[in-house]
Amino acid sequence: MANFSKSHVPQFTVEVYQNEFLPEGGREVNAIATVTSTGGGTVGGAVSAPHLFSTAGGGTDAAVALMVDCSGSMDYPPTKMRGAREASAAAIDALRDGVHFAVIAGTHVAKEIYPGEGRLAVADATTRGQAKQALRKLSAGGGTAIGTWLKLADRLLASADVSIRHGILLTDGRNEHESPEDLRAALDACAGRFTCDARGVGTDWEVKEVTGIASALIGTADIVADPAHLAEDFTRMMETAMGKEVADVALRLWTPLGSEIKFVKQVAPTVEELTERRTEAGPRAGDYPTGSWGDESRDYHVCVQVPNAELGQEMLAARVSLVIPRPDGTAQTLSQGLVRAVWTDDMAASTSINPQVAHYTGQAELAQAIQQGLDARKSGDADGATAKLGRAVQLAALSGNADTAKLLSKVVDVVDAAEGTVRLKAKVAEADEMTLETRSTKTVRVKSAKNVEPVKNAENTEK
């Protein structure tokens, strides 16, 4: 069991932003739930059971597996393999004392490089030194079968009695030595067992493969086009992993009889569809996985279809809770917020769009427009690509998403951002196109979020 300290228990809050007013006949309720976790204090006014929380703030209740691509293409150019060794060493340096860890060399098979024999090492000055020594022996040769890497990482991580299990995966090429079905089966087997950040180095890998791995395992995905930047990126990833304090957090939605969840999406810091990941959690309740949390805040868009009601009526449309599992199979609630529905004949009230909902609807459309535009461009549909990427430029400008606007400007010439008028560039660097695609789901928060009050709904009752 992990060492437990009251100071390491995070405090979770849920704030709901919505326009609760519906016109006569209105049935669709949209809300943004902002979930924030801050370190220290107690959860729900009481110190929670120690087995539910890690002490990643102290760094001991965690296990990490580094998966390093060692396929033959990592030698072209040689800077990729050298960068991978240096990045892995930097990540190992960022491990806190007491964290369990292993290093895996990935080709068409997965091989334990350190410590070996199906074990995990425990980080201290000696094991970090030994691991970095082992990294020097990494060499390129063989194919790529990422599913085998993930399955080995899962076996190793499962051997540690810890709360936080995390993988970091680096690849430079396409997953050519196993079928897409094999990779999908491996991801399905690993989902919910550990989280994983995935990185593509260079430009010879498949964006949808890498982002798909990160999405399935509730991690982050990114491109590191220049191997020289790998060490910095790996250090940052490991530091973030070391900051995780509580694992297996689920977003639980309860809805009243006759209501239906239309969709659930994470919308910040990235767009992530969660609707199909629901697992039933009792009568009219379902859980959606969110992975591990440190000090951070995320936003979720919940859309509920409620039964029709008369003007003047109101009801609880949904209850949004953050829960973690107990060993006895029950769940502990960390925090919750309520989504309301009120029917009114006040046209101004019922037609007003909540700024948080409007903003994130636009951010989700932005991500979709980029992906569709790039797909059209690749298929030779210049008109379709121009229309979609023009809409993306317009949405990025409207929402103040400057990072995405900058990436778009490397793929299109912007004539009028406000109108979405663009021209496709005749020549686009492959790294620029891949960066835009990989980062297309990254969002920005509402500019005036500090001035937007959450809905005061604590007095609602279930109906």
Side-chain angles (χ1 to χ4, degrees):
M1 183 178 291
N3 293 326
F4 176 67
S5 166
K6 183 176 177 178
S7 64
H8 289 142
V9 180
Q11 174 78 48
F12 279 83
T13 60
V14 178
E15 294 178 304
V16 174
Y17 298 86
Q18 67 163 133
N19 175 16
E20 65 266 43
F21 295 105
L22 295 176
E24 185 174 13
R27 297 188 61 195
E28 186 172 292
V29 180
N30 286 275
I32 300 297
T34 295
V35 179
T36 303
S37 169
T38 53
T42 59
V43 176
V47 176
S48 302
H51 63 268
L52 297 175
F53 297 96
S54 84
T55 54
T60 58
D61 193 25
V64 180
L66 279 169
M67 292 162 272
V68 184
D69 191 338
C70 293
S71 61
S73 57
M74 285 291 286
D75 249 351
Y76 301 96
T79 51
K80 281 198 287 193
M81 196 71 243
R82 185 163 64 247
R85 285 192 292 263
E86 292 171 354
S88 300
I92 288 166
D93 279 336
L95 285 166
R96 295 184 187 273
D97 283 352
V99 170
H100 297 70
F101 76 102
V103 182
I104 295 167
T107 59
H108 52 284
V109 294
K111 182 180 178 183
E112 299 170 49
I113 293 300
Y114 184 82
E117 299 179 0
R119 300 175 297 116
L120 292 169
V122 178
D124 59 23
T126 300
T127 56
R128 277 192 289 267
Q130 291 170 346
K132 289 190 287 185
Q133 189 71 30
L135 287 172
R136 295 174 187 170
K137 301 174 185 177
L138 288 180
S139 59
T144 305
I146 295 174
T148 65
W149 316 355
L150 294 167
K151 287 187 283 188
L152 176 56
D154 182 34
R155 289 198 298 274
L156 293 172
L157 292 170
S159 70
D161 184 16
V162 295
S163 299
I164 305 290
R165 295 182 177 88
H166 193 76
I168 292 177
L169 184 149
L170 174 71
T171 184
D172 83 318
R174 292 170 176 82
N175 197 45
E176 294 176 335
H177 290 81
E178 67 181 357
S179 69
E181 292 76 20
D182 286 340
L183 176 57
R184 172 45 57 189
L187 289 171
D188 289 344
C190 295
R193 294 173 58 81
F194 67 95
T195 57
C196 185
D197 294 323
R199 295 294 184 267
V201 60
T203 57
D204 293 329
W205 49 280
E206 180 61 49
V207 171
K208 287 180 173 60
E209 274 182 359
V210 171
T211 55
I213 291 166
S215 175
L217 302 181
I218 316 181
T220 64
D222 207 352
I223 179 174
V224 185
D226 184 347
H229 297 149
L230 274 174
E232 177 187 354
D233 186 74
F234 267 47
T235 300
R236 189 165 52 247
M237 272 195 292
M238 187 63 82
E239 288 174 348
T240 299
M242 293 296 94
K244 299 298 183 182
E245 296 175 299
V246 55
D248 301 326
V249 180
L251 189 76
R252 176 168 293 179
L253 294 182
W254 176 94
T255 50
L257 192 64
S259 295
E260 177 188 351
I261 300 291
K262 293 193 71 174
F263 65 77
V264 182
K265 296 176 184 177
Q266 178 184 288
V267 287
T270 59
V271 177
E272 190 67 59
E273 180 63 61
L274 299 176
T275 311
E276 299 303 319
R277 301 191 190 188
R278 176 187 174 105
T279 56
E280 296 307 312
R284 304 195 303 279
D287 287 353
Y288 302 83
T290 70
S292 303
W293 288 70
D295 267 16
E296 58 189 297
S297 184
R298 306 180 201 170
D299 292 337
Y300 297 88
H301 186 172
V302 176
C303 181
V304 185
Q305 184 170 288
V306 296
N308 201 4
E310 300 297 322
L311 290 174
Q313 283 191 281
E314 63 178 274
M315 69 176 291
L316 177 61
R319 183 172 60 236
V320 182
S321 306
L322 267 289
V323 300
I324 47 177
R326 289 190 175 103
D328 63 4
T330 62
Q332 178 183 348
T333 299
L334 304 177
S335 187
Q336 68 177 33
L338 306 178
V339 180
R340 297 177 66 202
V342 180
W343 282 264
T344 180
D345 58 3
D346 183 336
M347 187 67 72
S350 65
T351 57
S352 174
I353 300 176
N354 176 271
Q356 298 271 43
V357 172
H359 174 80
Y360 285 123
T361 300
Q363 292 288 284
E365 186 189 348
L366 169 60
Q368 185 179 51
I370 290 171
Q371 290 158 7
Q372 290 176 342
L374 291 176
D375 286 345
R377 186 178 180 278
K378 290 174 188 174
S379 68
D381 179 5
D383 290 343
T386 301
K388 290 295 183 182
L389 294 173
R391 176 60 174 158
V393 165
Q394 185 181 39
L395 289 165
L398 186 65
S399 64
N401 196 330
D403 288 344
T404 298
K406 184 176 179 181
L407 294 175
L408 280 161
S409 70
K410 295 183 178 181
V411 177
V412 296
D413 291 317
V414 179
V415 179
D416 187 329
E419 294 295 325
T421 307
V422 302
R423 288 191 298 267
L424 296 182
K425 287 184 181 291
K427 291 185 178 180
V428 177
E430 193 169 15
D432 289 336
E433 185 174 2
M434 291 177 71
T435 302
L436 174 61
E437 185 176 2
T438 306
R439 298 178 185 172
S440 62
T441 59
K442 291 189 177 181
T443 59
V444 292
R445 301 194 110 151
V446 182
K447 297 176 190 174
S448 56
K450 291 181 180 178
N451 301 321
V452 178
E453 287 294 320
V455 175
K456 306 298 185 185
N457 53 19
E459 298 178 359
N460 286 340
T461 57
E462 298 170 17
K463 295 191 177 180

